[in-house]
């Protein structure tokens, strides 16, 4: 569980529009920094309503100014369904981001949806290991050797789950695998692949993007040190680099530690 010091920078916005403006600038600044420093920017996407908060990123000035050809796109988790299925996180990303900006198709690393959940997880981990070991695209954590992505955009469910790592599930304790699978997701569809916490927490940067009153209790538990019968997955997010919370007023509505609305 993250300590108070590790809980990160909490930004609270009046509405999703204001959140999207700030989140897009945050992403653009990191993109510019990493491309300048090492010629590539690795970004990990989740699903849910994240893309409603990324709307400004595909508009001016970012649509024209970002070096999209240096972006490399990965998934935090994915439902094991065809890419054309309404539950597909890839389809969400394609409809809201990938089809609107000139990211190179070869730089987009989706899962192989023709495989079983177990096979898709093994295949995705093999892909990541190749990129880490044989290319300069993904760096490796100097602390633990896990892949070190430049930025993960992480959403959260009302129950406090992140990726496809759910409260009380044995996968929360996975320490060795980079990618694993779940066949009994408490939220449909049941079969998914997911990055594990060692990979999540090796990230150079994590943005927790959380909106809506349904998430308020879990945010309150995580940030206000509320007594809970078990640790929520959101409380286990503790990256090597900076952690930034992007919350709207709804998600922050139960916080005692809120310091005001971000400008």
């Amino acid at each position: 569980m993250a300590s108070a010091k590790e809980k990160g920078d909490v930004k609270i916005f009046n509405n999703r529009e204001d959140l999207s403006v700030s989140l897009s600038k945050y992403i653009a600044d990191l993109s510019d920094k990493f491309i300048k420093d090492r010629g590539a920017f690795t970004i990990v996407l989740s699903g849910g309503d994240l893309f409603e908060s990324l709307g400004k990123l595909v508009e001016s000035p970012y649509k024209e100014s970002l070096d999209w050809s240096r972006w490399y796109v990965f998934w935090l988790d994915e439902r094991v369904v065809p890419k054309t299925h309404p539950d597909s996180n890839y389809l969400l990303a394609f409809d809201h981001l990938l089809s609107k900006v000139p990211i190179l198709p070869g730089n987009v690393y989706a899962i192989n949806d023709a495989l079983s959940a177990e096979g898709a997880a093994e295949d995705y981990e093999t892909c990541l290991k190749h990129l880490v070991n044989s290319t300069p695209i993904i760096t490796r954590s100097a602390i633990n050797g896990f892949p070190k992505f430049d930025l993960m955009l992480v959403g959260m469910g009302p129950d406090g789950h992140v990726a496809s790592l759910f409260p009380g599930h044995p996968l929360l304790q996975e320490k060795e695998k980079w990618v694993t699978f779940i066949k009994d997701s408490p939220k449909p569809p049941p079969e998914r692949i997911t990055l594990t916490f060692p990979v999540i927490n090796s990230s150079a940067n994590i943005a927790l993007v959380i909106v809506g009153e349904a998430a308020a209790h879990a945010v309150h538990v995580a940030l206000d040190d509320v007594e809970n019968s078990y640790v929520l997955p959101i409380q286990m997010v503790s990256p090597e680099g900076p952690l930034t919370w992007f919350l709207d007023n709804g998600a922050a509505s139960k916080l005692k530690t809120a310091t005001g609305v971000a400008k």
Side-chain angles (χ1 to χ4, degrees):
M1 189 190 309
S3 69
K5 183 179 179 182
E6 294 168 329
K7 287 180 181 176
D9 180 18
V10 180
K11 299 180 183 293
I12 302 170
F13 301 89
N14 281 319
N15 50 57
R16 194 194 291 267
E17 175 86 2
D18 291 346
L19 186 154
S20 181
V21 169
S22 181
L23 178 62
S24 296
K25 183 179 187 305
Y26 164 88
I27 295 170
D29 288 347
L30 286 177
S31 170
D32 290 344
K33 172 187 180 296
F34 281 104
I35 290 171
K36 180 180 179 182
D37 289 350
R38 61 184 198 87
F41 178 54
T42 54
I43 183 168
V44 180
L45 305 175
S46 52
D49 61 3
L50 169 70
F51 293 97
E52 293 179 44
S53 301
L54 293 182
K56 298 297 180 186
L57 199 63
V58 298
E59 298 176 0
S60 295
Y62 306 120
K63 185 173 184 177
E64 297 82 13
S65 64
L66 288 179
D67 189 353
W68 299 102
S69 67
R70 304 292 185 92
W71 277 45
Y72 293 83
V73 179
F74 302 86
W75 272 264
L76 180 63
D77 67 325
E78 179 59 288
R79 292 84 179 270
V80 184
V81 294
K83 292 182 179 65
T84 55
H85 193 282
D87 287 333
S88 167
N89 285 339
Y90 171 87
L91 182 61
L92 268 177
F94 182 83
D95 287 346
H96 292 90
L97 176 66
L98 302 178
S99 63
K100 297 180 182 297
V101 293
I103 295 174
L104 300 178
N107 291 0
V108 176
Y109 292 88
I111 73 165
N112 184 342
D113 57 6
L115 300 175
S116 66
E118 183 173 9
E122 291 178 356
D123 181 72
Y124 208 61
E125 179 163 327
T126 298
C127 172
L128 297 184
K129 286 184 173 178
H130 169 75
L131 293 173
V132 169
N133 295 329
S134 305
T135 79
I137 294 171
I138 306 175
T139 58
R140 188 186 286 270
S141 169
I143 296 173
N144 56 34
F146 284 96
K148 189 179 186 75
F149 291 98
D150 299 330
L151 172 63
M152 287 196 182
L153 298 176
V154 181
M156 184 196 74
D159 61 353
H161 85 266
V162 295
S164 284
L165 299 166
F166 294 91
H169 198 280
L171 290 185
L172 298 181
Q173 307 308 320
E174 176 59 53
K175 299 290 194 295
E176 311 235 339
K177 292 181 180 178
W178 293 13
V179 185
T180 190
F181 66 97
I182 181 171
K183 289 187 173 182
D184 57 350
S185 167
K187 181 180 177 182
E191 296 198 352
R192 302 158 175 240
I193 69 116
T194 183
L195 300 187
T196 60
F197 269 118
V199 175
I200 293 170
N201 287 334
S202 295
S203 299
N205 298 271
I206 289 181
L208 292 171
V209 184
I210 306 170
V211 299
E213 291 186 5
H217 177 71
V219 169
H220 170 49
V221 169
L223 288 175
D224 286 336
D225 290 324
V226 175
E227 291 272 342
N228 205 46
S229 58
Y230 51 84
V231 175
L232 298 180
I234 189 70
Q235 295 174 277
M236 298 173 67
V237 177
S238 181
E240 290 181 17
L243 173 63
T244 307
W245 297 69
F246 289 84
L247 308 174
D248 73 348
N249 274 339
S253 60
K254 294 187 178 180
L255 282 182
K256 296 176 183 175
T257 56
T259 55
V261 176
K263 302 297 183 185

